Amino acid sequence: MSGSARIHPTALVEDGAVLGENVEIGPFCTVGANVELGEGVRLISHVVVAGHTQIGAHSVVYPFASLGQPPQSVHYKGEPCRLIVGERCIIREHVTMNIGTAGGHMETRVGAHGFFMVGSHVAHDCVIGERVVFANNATVAGHVTVGDNVFIGGLAAVHQFTRIGDGAMIGGMCGVHFDVIPFGLMMEGHPGLRSLNYTGLKRRGLSLQQRRELQGAYRELFYGAGTLAQRTDRVAEHFGENANVMRIVEFVRTAGKRRLTVPADADDNGAEPDAA
């Protein structure tokens, strides 16, 4: 335990916990014996960190968050699984993140610079990328993979074993049953894939030409002739020098346990409104 840690007298820190420099543990927090808090981590108050849990440097955890508790799985038998949270995450009130299971990765992993709003949930064996945003009460079930720079809207729920690719946006109140390609957009009230996340692409600094190439790849992938495998090969041939398009190609080719989310209507999907 670091001598520079500031621990409120009402907090309970079990023997064996590893505290980095300048850790702050506020009133009524509980930190388990197998927990490691990186440098500058702040637990504001009433936070529970249990299990074999690591929280990266300078992350901030707000009241009533619960991190590292056993998974909500009937198959869990008490294995010493882990939760690993990256640096500089913001974890707001009532967020829950569970450890992994022997049937998965033996760990749940959350990348750096994530922003998890009130009541959001990361279930067992999930792999969450960097710079993600989970809005209020966004929930991902067990074994879900979420890429970097993903936004999941409030009250959205993601089915177990689903993959969400880099840069995708899931609108509020969406139910996600199948894999979502990188840079894909889903919106409540629009079944299936709505379009590409053009707003997100602009914010990432992609040029109009790069966005148009992604749009062309999207159209070929979902509206072209032939099987999905044939269309994917054509996209790779036509746009092989576009790294972002190839991220979509690789995502499709490395299919997971869930099938791919596709547009519900070919007439009003895939066009960038302000491409002109």
Side-chain angles (χ1 to χ4, degrees):
M1 184 180 298
S2 169
S4 67
R6 288 183 286 178
I7 304 172
H8 193 275
T10 62
L12 174 61
V13 180
E14 296 184 15
D15 291 341
V18 177
L19 308 183
E21 296 294 322
N22 301 313
V23 163
E24 297 181 24
I25 300 177
F28 302 103
C29 293
T30 301
V31 178
N34 297 306
V35 168
E36 180 177 343
L37 304 181
E39 177 183 357
V41 167
R42 296 173 58 207
L43 310 183
I44 301 299
S45 73
H46 298 83
V47 173
V48 176
V49 187
H52 291 77
T53 298
Q54 299 175 23
I55 300 181
H58 306 292
S59 292
V60 182
V61 188
Y62 283 78
F64 305 105
S66 178
L67 310 178
Q69 296 286 5
Q72 298 176 108
S73 170
V74 297
H75 304 293
Y76 181 67
K77 305 301 181 185
E79 305 90 348
C81 300
R82 301 189 297 171
L83 167 66
I84 300 175
V85 179
E87 64 179 18
R88 299 188 184 277
C89 286
I90 298 174
I91 299 173
R92 292 303 302 260
E93 296 85 352
H94 297 281
V95 169
T96 52
M97 298 180 179
N98 297 143
I99 61 174
T101 66
H105 312 288
M106 288 289 290
E107 70 179 31
T108 302
R109 184 173 289 270
V110 176
H113 301 278
F115 184 16
F116 298 87
M117 299 185 196
V118 173
S120 54
H121 174 64
V122 177
H124 60 88
D125 301 295
C126 288
V127 178
I128 311 298
E130 297 188 349
R131 298 176 298 279
V132 302
V133 176
F134 281 39
N136 292 10
N137 296 298
T139 299
V140 291
H143 309 275
V144 165
T145 300
V146 176
D148 296 339
N149 301 295
V150 169
F151 180 91
I152 302 181
L155 299 170
V158 182
H159 192 283
Q160 63 186 10
F161 292 102
T162 298
R163 300 178 302 151
I164 298 178
D166 294 347
M169 178 174 181
I170 309 300
M173 297 188 290
C174 281
V176 183
H177 301 281
F178 306 117
D179 291 353
V180 179
I181 61 168
F183 316 114
L185 171 66
M186 291 187 67
M187 296 177 61
E188 192 272 334
H190 294 272
L193 196 63
R194 174 62 177 157
S195 68
L196 290 174
N197 179 19
Y198 292 111
T199 299
L201 293 173
K202 288 181 182 178
R203 289 174 178 170
R204 291 166 64 94
L206 270 70
S207 68
L208 178 59
Q209 179 61 32
Q210 289 173 315
R211 299 197 305 270
R212 281 178 167 166
E213 289 183 0
L214 277 165
Q215 178 178 314
Y218 179 92
R219 287 186 175 277
E220 179 63 41
L221 182 64
F222 292 115
Y223 305 117
T227 65
L228 177 62
Q230 292 169 335
R231 298 195 303 269
T232 302
D233 288 343
R234 286 201 300 271
V235 168
E237 180 181 354
H238 296 159
F239 302 96
E241 295 184 359
N242 187 311
N244 288 316
V245 171
M246 293 308 295
R247 289 163 83 175
I248 297 175
V249 169
E250 182 65 19
F251 184 91
V252 175
R253 285 176 169 171
T254 56
K257 292 190 175 184
R258 309 293 293 169
R259 66 178 178 86
L260 203 63
T261 300
V262 300
D265 188 331
D267 293 329
D268 62 356
N269 284 277
E272 182 173 3
D274 58 351

